[in-house]
Amino acid sequence: MSTSAYQMIFQKAALAAALAAVVMATGCASGGKPVAAPVVAAVADNPQVLLLGEVHDNAEGHKLRYELLRRRVEAGWRPAIVMEQFDRENQDALTQAQKGCLDAQCVIRVVGGPRWDWQLYYPVIQLALTYQLPLVAANLSRADASRVVRDGVRATFDPKSIQDYHLDQPLPADIRSAQQQEIVVGHCNMLPEMMVGGMVDAQVARDIWMAKIVREQRPRDVVLIAGNGHVRKDIGVARWINQTAPTLTVRSIGFIENGDNGGRYDSVQTVAPQQRSDPCKQVKAK
């Protein structure tokens, strides 16, 4: 995007900032039941890396997670915020937007893609702008994910990363097995077998990229905003973060629609299931 295009967006954002603030305030205050604030540790007890999960469309989970993060930041914590929702090759545009935008809606217009319900992420982005916390893009683009599906988990990594994360060796059996199960179930047990391996590789590549980008923010503390599958400590980002030395203090919190932790997270926040149609119904009808 050209400099003049950025300036035009930023100018429009300045005019819209006051209205957006009002919309944000009324949106948080209206509708639904009040959300109980989670207990938050003192700033001194914040981990070096805090992994905060989500069910992507669960609005209650987003509110709970935002409140947890807001309370920590208002108490003085100043982490970088790494987000799955931004593709990593858009980091330059995201950095420019954060410098020039007056509100989160402007950042979303400049950098937000079509895959996400961005209003669910507005509060976190606005928090980053208000407290000047770096926003960091962490996801694979569709093009990169396609490369991985075609060419294997190493396809997007440089030689040093391949060595650091032992990608010149087969993936650990427990990671491949568990990721395969998640992907098959997540696609209503209807995914052609020939596609499963490549999709596992893509999911693992996302986790490793997030782990790599989290480590690159050090010595600053880091929060990762990502799906529950990514913040799992057994097979997700947490597993890969400490693949390379030195070891970091990592804590993962799942925001889940049932109470089953199963060792996947250090702790969980249970949220009411989001009202949605059966995602498998249409697939099975074909």
Side-chain angles (χ1 to χ4, degrees):
M1 183 178 290
S2 67
T3 301
S4 61
Y6 276 120
Q7 290 173 339
M8 183 177 296
I9 290 174
F10 297 154
Q11 289 168 356
K12 291 181 178 179
L15 297 175
L19 177 59
V22 172
V23 171
M24 178 61 192
T26 56
C28 291
S30 63
K33 297 179 180 179
V35 177
V39 176
V40 178
V43 173
D45 296 329
N46 287 318
Q48 293 172 300
V49 179
L50 180 61
L51 310 178
L52 298 179
E54 66 183 46
V55 177
H56 293 312
D57 67 345
N58 190 297
E60 180 187 352
H62 280 269
K63 290 177 183 178
L64 280 171
R65 181 178 62 184
Y66 168 70
E67 286 301 317
L68 183 154
L69 181 57
R70 179 187 64 79
R71 288 168 179 264
R72 288 174 181 263
V73 170
E74 288 184 353
W77 198 33
R78 296 294 182 266
I81 300 180
V82 176
M83 296 186 67
E84 174 191 3
Q85 291 70 33
F86 296 111
D87 292 347
R88 62 189 181 86
E89 62 262 45
N90 294 332
Q91 182 61 57
D92 287 346
L94 180 57
T95 301
Q96 286 292 94
Q98 193 167 8
K99 289 178 179 178
C101 283
L102 298 180
D103 77 326
Q105 202 64 47
C106 170
V107 174
I108 292 166
R109 285 198 299 270
V110 173
V111 196
R115 287 184 284 171
W116 304 95
D117 181 353
W118 286 104
Q119 294 313 301
L120 295 174
Y121 302 96
Y122 184 114
V124 171
I125 297 171
Q126 188 62 52
L127 188 72
L129 291 177
T130 300
Y131 287 92
Q132 299 182 343
L133 308 177
L135 286 170
V136 184
N139 204 357
L140 290 181
S141 65
R142 288 184 182 273
D144 276 350
S146 295
R147 285 176 58 199
V148 174
V149 170
R150 183 183 66 243
D151 300 329
V153 71
R154 296 182 293 178
T156 60
F157 292 99
D158 61 89
K160 185 177 186 307
S161 296
I162 290 173
Q163 181 179 10
D164 288 346
Y165 293 97
H166 306 314
L167 301 181
D168 51 351
Q169 304 171 21
L171 290 176
D174 65 319
I175 290 181
R176 182 167 288 282
S177 175
Q179 291 284 16
Q180 179 171 317
Q181 174 68 14
E182 290 293 315
I183 286 170
V184 169
V185 172
H187 288 80
C188 309
N189 296 300
M190 299 288 287
L191 195 65
E193 186 175 351
M194 62 179 293
M195 295 180 62
V196 174
M199 294 186 71
V200 168
D201 287 344
Q203 186 74 349
V204 170
R206 290 186 182 95
D207 287 340
I208 297 172
W209 265 112
M210 291 182 200
K212 176 177 165 62
I213 289 170
V214 163
R215 292 196 65 92
E216 288 171 353
Q217 309 314 307
R218 298 296 303 157
R220 189 164 192 154
D221 289 350
V222 186
V223 169
L224 174 66
I225 301 294
N228 284 327
H230 292 300
V231 308
R232 285 177 58 166
K233 66 179 185 177
D234 54 343
I235 63 169
V237 174
R239 173 79 172 263
W240 295 102
I241 283 176
N242 289 325
Q243 185 75 36
T244 58
T247 299
L248 299 177
T249 302
V250 181
R251 179 172 175 79
S252 64
I253 303 178
F255 290 77
I256 61 177
E257 292 184 346
N258 59 66
D260 180 20
N261 184 346
R264 297 177 178 90
Y265 313 98
D266 291 303
S267 64
V268 298
Q269 289 277 341
T270 302
V271 298
Q274 183 75 20
Q275 294 297 315
R276 62 177 74 89
S277 59
D278 181 359
C280 296
K281 185 176 180 179
Q282 186 175 358
V283 175
K284 292 176 179 178
K286 293 182 179 179

